Amino acid sequence: MLKKLHIKTFGCQMNVYDSQRMSDVLAPLGYGATDIAETADMIILNTCHIREKAAEKLYSELGRYKISQDQRRAQGSDILIAVAGCVAQAEGAEIMRRAPHVDIVLGPQTYHRLPEMVAQAMRARDVKSNGTNRRGQGVLDIEFPADPKFDFLPDVSVEGPSAFLSVQEGCDKFCTFCVVPYTRGAEYSRNVVDVVTEARHMVERGVREITLLGQNVNAYRGQRGSRSRDSAGLGELIGELANIDGLDLIRYTTSHPVDMDEKLIQAHRDVGELVPFLHLPVQSGSDKILQCMNRRHSRDDYLRVIEKLVTARPGLKLSSDFIVGFPGESDADFEATLALVRDVRFIQAFSFIYSPRPGTPGALLADRVPNDIQSDRLTALQELLSDHQRAFNQSCVGEIMPVLLDRQGRKPGQLAGKSPYMQAVHVMAPETLLGEIVELRIFEALPNSLSAVLAAPEAARSSMLENGRLSV
Ligand code: SAH
Ligand code: SF4
Ligand code: F3S
């Protein structure tokens, strides 16, 4: 009989990919996905540790699941509860102590061992139902194993025409605010053959767009094959992937400005499948703050990289991440961030108030910025960023863009997708176009999306790819 698995995912796209892989690993044990936690046989919370409050949210979520678990036990069945991801990595033993009803705690590098952990947890559960206290009997696995998990994962499954593919894991950059190097471990890249094989499988199953993932994806340096001594960077990997017939759109995220090498920039010039859009976090526009953050680049370095990218691919647009209120950030430093934003005109961005993370060097810095100033700065930055986003969306009105229609829209008869620039686009279109890349003419810019009509209903697909290059 099919057992029901409910996975709730927090955090970045890497966690989204990992959740899919955990479900792939559990499929041979008879687990199939359900959206409803309360009736599931197993719940996995795939957690994020990047900013404060994540852990508190986790414990309140776990408290709610305990109620369902108790009810199910009273009826003679059970719910197995697992906590995965970055909070699990950072606070494994603490989770076991504070929430002893959790059966499994596993880090982001050990989920290929989930079947083993489930079996172990089941055995512990039998003991528990005989009245033994559960405390201390959960399964904890937060190692950074020497053998990468990718070598042990089953074939990838996909849902829909758009998929994530992790090519790189971990981070060696140690920005002073960030927990990722501690929760995900050292940088590791999968080899080119394995990535291309996984991408081919995805395309065979209907995928048209792949987003290559890594905490620091452009630090990618993979061996060409498992025994090869030759290695390739992300630009070369993208070149290989572009040769896969039926793979029409390639994206990658998240990149670090110092790893934007010449070959990757050339890929933006040469590879038509690579979208003219890049998420390139800068965090701050002040050289002093960038240095305190250990970002390893100046404001000018960042602007130079952008100049090269836009020269390679005219029309390329950028998005970014910002942190305001890092310790020591003065009004002038913050003004430098606003000035950078005015210079670049990002078309989207994420911005956050600095959150001191235990165990990171930033958490020990004095000269904290008071909360009210942090909030005021966030508001000012977000207003400016929103102005630019709105202006860009407005400038799209009248344009024709290729859009991968990957889901039903909210209204009947409507389909939705995202533009090359990650804008949500809605269009009235026949269902037969679901999963297709179609040319849409944008006629209205709404606050969070674009409305469009089919530009070329007859020749929706063929007219758009000119010599294998998206005509954006
Ligand atoms: N690898 C990416 C970022 C991963 S984390 C990079 O190098 O840019 C995603 C974003 O969360 C970061 O870009 C940063 O803006 C934000 N972030 C990370 N740690 C943070 C912290 N301690 N406080 C506030 N924001 C943080
Ligand atoms: Fe975190 Fe910096 Fe690594 Fe990005 S590059 S994951 S911000 S340490
Ligand atoms: Fe969060 Fe871990 Fe991703 S901390 S942002 S889930 S790498």
Side-chain angles (χ1 to χ4, degrees), residues 209-388:
E209 172 187 67
I210 291 182
T211 304
L212 305 175
L213 299 181
Q215 265 87 22
N216 221 329
V217 69
N218 58 340
Y220 176 86
R221 181 131 293 274
Q223 287 167 269
R224 294 248 170 214
S226 57
R227 299 214 184 120
S228 167
R229 292 210 180 154
D230 275 358
S231 66
L234 189 64
E236 292 154 292
L237 178 71
I238 288 169
E240 296 284 337
L241 291 167
N243 291 331
I244 301 177
D245 265 354
L247 178 56
D248 297 318
L249 293 166
I250 303 175
R251 304 174 184 270
Y252 62 92
T253 199
T254 303
S255 308
H256 194 290
V258 300
D259 291 321
M260 241 28 245
D261 65 24
E262 292 301 328
K263 284 193 174 150
L264 184 53
I265 291 170
Q266 273 169 29
H268 281 276
R269 186 191 63 199
D270 300 335
V271 180
E273 289 82 354
L274 197 52
V275 293
F277 173 75
L278 183 65
H279 182 63
L280 194 60
V282 62
Q283 315 299 353
S284 168
S286 150
D287 282 342
K288 180 189 99 192
I289 297 298
L290 286 170
Q291 201 173 8
C292 295
M293 288 177 165
N294 190 31
R295 287 291 289 181
R296 306 159 192 234
H297 64 80
S298 65
R299 161 205 182 86
D300 280 354
D301 296 334
Y302 183 78
L303 291 173
R304 262 196 302 275
V305 168
I306 292 184
E307 208 178 288
K308 283 190 199 168
L309 280 162
V310 175
T311 307
R313 184 84 195 250
L316 181 133
K317 303 289 177 202
L318 289 131
S319 74
S320 199
D321 290 343
F322 295 90
I323 295 178
V324 299
F326 189 76
E329 186 187 70
S330 65
D331 284 342
D333 294 319
F334 177 62
E335 279 303 321
T337 299
L338 294 179
L340 177 81
V341 169
R342 285 191 199 99
D343 276 359
V344 180
R345 293 190 73 90
F346 299 95
I347 64 162
Q348 281 144 43
F350 299 98
S351 40
F352 312 98
I353 287 179
Y354 170 65
S355 168
R357 309 306 290 126
T360 61
L364 305 174
L365 293 175
D367 211 2
R368 293 266 178 97
V369 177
N371 291 351
D372 54 337
I373 296 182
Q374 287 180 317
S375 302
D376 290 349
R377 287 182 186 165
L378 185 69
T379 308
L381 175 62
Q382 290 186 338
E383 271 172 17
L384 183 63
L385 290 165
S386 303
D387 282 352
H388 294 169

Side-chain angles (χ1 to χ4, degrees), residues 10-11 22 26 62 66 79 128 147 168 176 183 191 207 219-220 224 325 327 330 414 417 443:
F10 303 84
M22 285 192 268
L26 291 173
L62 286 173
K66 175 153 183 14
I79 305 181
K128 282 171 228 153
D147 296 343
Q168 183 275 339
T176 54
T183 60
N191 74 54
V207 166
Y220 176 86
R224 294 248 170 214
S330 65
Q414 199 183 50
F443 70 85

